Amino acid sequence: MPDDTPIPAIHDIGGAARFHCTPVEHDEVPPDAFGKKVDALRQILAQKKLMTVDELRRGIESIPESEYFALGYYERWLRSIALLMVEKGQVEEGDLR
Amino acid sequence: MSEMPRFAAGATVRVKDDWPERRGPCHIRTPHYIRGRTGTVVRPLGAFANPEDLAFAKPAPKRTLYHVLFAQEPLWQEGKAGDTVMVEVFEHWLEPHPIKQEA
Amino acid sequence: MAAPPRPDSIALLDRLMAALVARGIVTEAEVAERQANTDKASPETGARMVARAWTDPAYRALLLSDGRAAAEEMGVSMAGAPPLGVLENAPGRHHLVVCTLCSCYPRAVLGYPPNWYKSFAYRSRAVREPRQVLAEWGLNLPDTVEVRVVDSTADYRWMVLPMRPAGTEGWDATRLAALVTRDALVGVAVPVAA
């Protein structure tokens, strides 16, 4: 690819060379208690019109690269949900420290 | 709002070679690997609130969504001829190809 | 294996929940109830839909034209769920579903997405080298078959309608459904008669 090809955003990983040689591990383990709780919380906040799935994604996409790849799936969701709830004034930053 | 889809099944379209990521915070559902690429409309899928607005809790007018088919091999310069990739793309990311003067 | 959550993540969830509860936004009971509901969804639903489509031409037509209505006919509540699209495999075409941008998945009919579907390796590789990914998992498709990767980027959720395997003539829908795995409904496998 030419050098001026723009670098895709962090989450936009279709075809990313860095995973080219990584086997897809056939991991069927269901989410743990932490993951299920984050998942359920997200659904409830969406149902109460306090956030949309696109806001969730935008929050996930704003996680810095080093954290994005180090955090687990539902850990990224939680970071985004917390960010959104602070942004919308539903909770205060001090509540989360 | 029930505007007619701009593109019909079978139309050749080009995905805009646009990179809003370079201009500031945004949320884009058009993956990087189809931008600037030419594909074929499989069918319109209906109209949905624009995720680029929803992501920032802004009023989100509905936009027509399409299933667009691309040949696999030219996207990556690898793979098998005849294989394909089908992607949901919003109308505002698509332009006719080749570009024609509208009557 | 997915790593367990870090202690700071567990603490963050506890603090966020406590703050939301204190402000009357959610209750612990609400979250538990929602989780219990979510736990009920499983690939068995998608498998039952496929088996019925194999044995009932009218249902097959409904499934392909309106996945949401087809799911509701099987007793699945689709209220609030995204539209469901169904991709029909044929002798010359095999569909493989991926979400390169996040992890969009037809949860109403397949349950939680498995970890492999959410993995960086699957998200990046399936769209670029689908035949290699399938081959690594034991599915070698002939060159005469078009592999059609479906990148689930927007409002629809996609499920594959696999081909009914040979050697199942006369089987009823219950017996057929047992052949349809989650992997086959995503397109990383095809059903085979045991």
Side-chain angles (χ1 to χ4, degrees):
Chain A
M1 279 198 268
D3 288 337
D4 60 351
T5 301
I7 296 169
I10 181 80
H11 65 287
D12 189 1
I13 61 171
R18 67 186 288 177
F19 301 106
H20 195 51
C21 299
T22 309
V24 181
E25 202 183 336
H26 210 154
D27 179 356
E28 302 273 342
V29 179
D32 56 20
F34 170 86
K36 287 185 175 186
K37 191 166 181 180
V38 172
D39 190 295
L41 177 61
R42 185 210 66 81
Q43 293 181 54
I44 290 169
L45 295 174
Q47 194 176 38
K48 292 177 188 277
K49 308 279 182 214
L50 294 174
M51 57 180 282
T52 63
V53 67
D54 289 290
E55 288 177 289
L56 173 79
R57 291 169 180 156
R58 187 249 300 170
I60 292 169
E61 291 157 18
S62 72
I63 297 171
E65 176 165 341
S66 57
E67 285 280 284
Y68 185 88
F69 289 111
L71 291 169
Y73 180 77
Y74 285 111
E75 290 180 300
R76 293 193 293 275
W77 279 34
L78 176 63
R79 292 295 190 285
S80 176
I81 295 168
L83 174 93
L84 290 168
M85 290 302 106
V86 171
E87 189 181 287
K88 289 162 178 284
Q90 299 293 337
V91 303
E92 284 169 35
E93 214 161 340
D95 295 333
L96 306 180
R97 279 197 292 265
Chain B
M1 283 198 288
S2 62
E3 280 186 37
M4 283 288 289
R6 183 179 177 198
F7 303 106
T12 303
V13 289
R14 181 177 179 272
V15 182
K16 287 180 185 165
D17 192 5
D18 189 21
W19 298 83
E21 297 91 333
R22 288 171 148 188
R23 299 194 288 272
C26 62
H27 170 70
I28 304 297
R29 300 302 293 177
T30 306
H32 70 95
Y33 63 85
I34 58 169
R35 296 190 207 170
R37 303 304 183 120
T38 301
T40 306
V41 170
V42 177
R43 65 183 172 109
L45 293 167
F48 297 91
N50 186 357
E52 296 167 22
D53 297 322
L54 286 177
F56 293 89
K58 293 193 282 197
K62 286 192 174 182
R63 302 283 178 95
T64 300
L65 184 67
Y66 296 87
H67 238 171
V68 183
L69 189 69
F70 302 86
Q72 158 85 235
E73 204 183 358
L75 293 179
W76 310 107
Q77 278 103 50
E78 66 177 75
K80 200 186 78 60
D83 287 351
T84 54
V85 181
M86 192 158 68
V87 186
E88 287 154 87
V89 188
F90 280 95
E91 187 169 276
H92 60 281
W93 274 89
L94 298 175
E95 52 198 20
H97 184 82
I99 294 170
K100 281 181 282 200
Q101 292 295 327
E102 299 207 17
Chain C
M1 283 282 292
R6 311 189 315 201
D8 62 320
S9 295
I10 292 168
L12 177 59
L13 178 57
D14 288 345
R15 291 192 189 106
L16 177 63
M17 270 304 294
L20 291 169
V21 168
R23 284 164 169 75
I25 296 167
V26 299
T27 66
E28 289 282 357
E30 252 181 321
V31 175
E33 191 193 337
R34 175 54 63 125
Q35 185 185 313
N37 258 318
T38 307
D39 281 341
K40 286 181 200 152
S42 89
E44 284 170 29
T45 302
R48 285 195 298 123
M49 291 165 70
V50 164
R52 184 165 167 197
W54 284 345
T55 52
D56 175 349
Y59 185 79
R60 182 187 189 93
L62 176 68
L63 183 65
L64 292 171
S65 64
D66 187 346
R68 186 201 291 263
E72 285 187 329
E73 199 167 309
M74 299 299 271
V76 181
S77 168
M78 296 295 280
L84 174 67
V86 178
L87 307 153
E88 183 182 25
N89 281 353
R93 181 175 296 156
H94 179 88
H95 292 91
L96 174 68
V97 182
V98 62
C99 173
T100 63
L101 298 175
C102 45
S103 57
C104 298
Y105 189 77
R107 293 174 52 144
V109 292
L110 296 193
Y112 293 107
N115 288 325
W116 60 260
Y117 186 84
K118 303 182 291 188
S119 70
F120 297 125
Y122 184 73
R123 285 171 49 195
S124 60
R125 295 184 60 210
V127 76
R128 181 168 184 161
E129 37 172 347
R131 285 178 185 268
Q132 286 86 335
V133 170
L134 294 174
E136 285 168 26
W137 281 17
L139 179 58
N140 290 287
L141 294 169
D143 282 357
T144 49
V145 174
E146 168 197 346
V147 174
R148 180 170 288 192
V149 180
V150 178
D151 191 353
S152 186
T153 50
D155 290 72
Y156 267 73
R157 298 295 177 268
W158 301 100
M159 181 179 92
V160 175
L161 171 57
M163 285 188 293
R164 179 172 174 166
T168 59
E169 295 74 19
W171 291 27
D172 67 11
T174 307
R175 196 170 170 205
L176 288 168
L179 301 180
V180 184
T181 60
R182 166 165 59 198
D183 287 2
L185 296 165
V186 179
V188 293
V190 296
V192 282

